[in-house]
Amino acid sequence: GMADRAGGNSSGGSSGSGGARTFPGQLLSAVLKMRGLPFITTKDDIIGFFTDPSIAPLVHDNIHIVTGSDGRATGTAFVEFTSPDEARRAMNKDRQSLGTRYVELFPSSREEATRAATSGR
């Protein structure tokens, strides 16, 4: 079945109703959040991670690696796929490993990605 993991998302201020649910079959957004990336991860690494016959190839412009105020990677990235359908297929890569780390994937939104890009957190 699906991995029902409680908690782990302490980002606070969740917009919209319903609180934390396992994501529904239909993702409304084409954006996924990646967490647990090795700090040396490049956009090419992320493209490689999502390389799959069922997923349209990513381009650099659709990948945002979040860096802290010191300019160093935080282990988080946001990836925008061509459609919510693509993002849902990409969720199959949840908990697969990239380098030595396993990467967690979460449904996200363009708003969250933009906030991460501007907050420098």
Side-chain angles (χ1 to χ4, degrees):
M2 307 232 314
D4 289 314
R5 281 173 301 149
N9 191 357
S10 56
S11 56
S14 62
S15 54
S17 58
R21 294 183 312 274
T22 48
F23 65 98
Q26 196 66 39
L27 281 182
L28 300 177
S29 164
V31 179
L32 292 184
K33 177 182 183 176
M34 306 178 75
R35 204 171 72 190
L37 295 168
F39 294 137
I40 55 172
T41 301
T42 65
K43 291 186 177 188
D44 285 326
D45 292 333
I46 291 174
I47 289 172
F49 179 80
F50 285 113
T51 296
D52 190 276
S54 69
I55 304 169
L58 288 166
V59 296
H60 280 218
D61 284 349
N62 288 0
I63 301 170
H64 174 69
I65 296 175
V66 182
T67 52
S69 46
D70 56 1
R72 290 170 43 176
T74 59
T76 300
F78 291 90
V79 180
E80 183 168 359
F81 294 89
T82 52
S83 71
D85 232 37
E86 293 285 322
R88 200 173 73 243
R89 284 199 286 276
M91 280 296 299
N92 291 329
K93 303 273 187 183
D94 183 34
R95 302 195 143 242
Q96 302 226 4
S97 56
L98 178 60
T100 56
R101 309 280 301 273
Y102 73 81
V103 178
E104 291 182 286
L105 302 179
F106 303 92
S108 183
S109 65
R110 199 181 262 131
E111 292 72 41
E112 186 183 3
T114 306
R115 265 204 315 278
T118 52
S119 75
R121 260 222 327 271

